[in-house]
Amino acid sequence: MYLYLKAIHVIFVVTWFAGLFYLPRLLIYNTEALAKPAAEQLILQGQFAIMIKRLWYGITWPSAILTLILGCATWYKLAALPDWLLVKLFFVAGLYVYHLSLHVLVRQQLNGIFRFTSQQLRIWNEVATIFLVAIVLLAVVKQPPGLWRALGGLLLFIGLLLGAIRIYKRSRRK
C-alpha cells in the first residue's frame, strides 16, 4: 500500500508542478495582451481568463491539496522524521507559499489588476524551478548537503537562471 500512496503522491506532484510552470506563462501572456489593440486585447484576455481559471482551479489547486494529503499519508512508515526530510519539508513549505503568491496574482489579473511587468513575471516563474531542484535532490539523495555547500549551489543555480532570463530577453529584442 505504501508504494501505491507514494506513486500517486508523485503523480500529483507532477501535475501540481505542471500547473505551477504553465500558470505564470499564462499570466505573462495576459499581461502582454495589454499592449495589443483594444479589440484584440479583449479577445485575448477573455481567452486567457478562461485558461487561467481552468488550469488554476481545475488542476493546480486540486493537485496541491492531494500532494499534501498523500505526502502526509506516506509518513506512517516513519518512526521519526529524518534530517533530509525536515529540510525537504522546509522547501515544500516555501513552495506552498509560492503557490499562494500565484493565487494572489491570479485573483488580481482576473480582476483587471496588473501590478507586474511580463519581465518580472518571467523571473517569478523561475522560483518554482528552484524549489523543484531542491526538493527532488533531497528526495532522491536523502541527505542534506552541508549548509554552505547547499547555499552556494543554490545561489549558483539561481545565478544561472537569471543569466538565462537575461539572454532570453536580449534575444527577444533582436
Side-chain angles (χ1 to χ4, degrees), residues 103-122:
H103 185 74
V104 170
L105 291 173
V106 165
R107 301 230 8 221
Q108 287 175 347
Q109 283 203 4
L110 292 177
N111 288 318
I113 301 167
F114 295 84
R115 293 200 172 137
F116 300 97
T117 66
S118 62
Q119 181 64 23
Q120 290 170 321
L121 291 170
R122 278 186 174 80

Side-chain angles (χ1 to χ4, degrees), residues 8-75:
I8 296 168
H9 168 70
V10 170
I11 290 166
F12 282 108
V13 167
V14 170
T15 60
W16 183 28
F17 267 101
L20 292 177
F21 286 140
Y22 189 50
L23 178 83
R25 301 304 311 167
L26 292 175
L27 298 176
I28 290 165
Y29 302 147
N30 198 25
T31 300
E32 290 176 345
L34 293 170
K36 304 288 184 188
E40 189 177 348
Q41 178 184 339
L42 187 65
I43 292 168
L44 286 171
Q45 289 192 314
Q47 184 60 45
F48 288 134
I50 292 167
M51 294 169 71
I52 288 167
K53 285 179 198 173
R54 288 180 180 168
L55 176 65
W56 192 243
Y57 296 109
I59 296 171
T60 312
W61 260 112
S63 296
I65 292 166
L66 290 169
T67 294
L68 182 62
I69 292 167
L70 292 164
C72 292
T74 61
W75 295 353

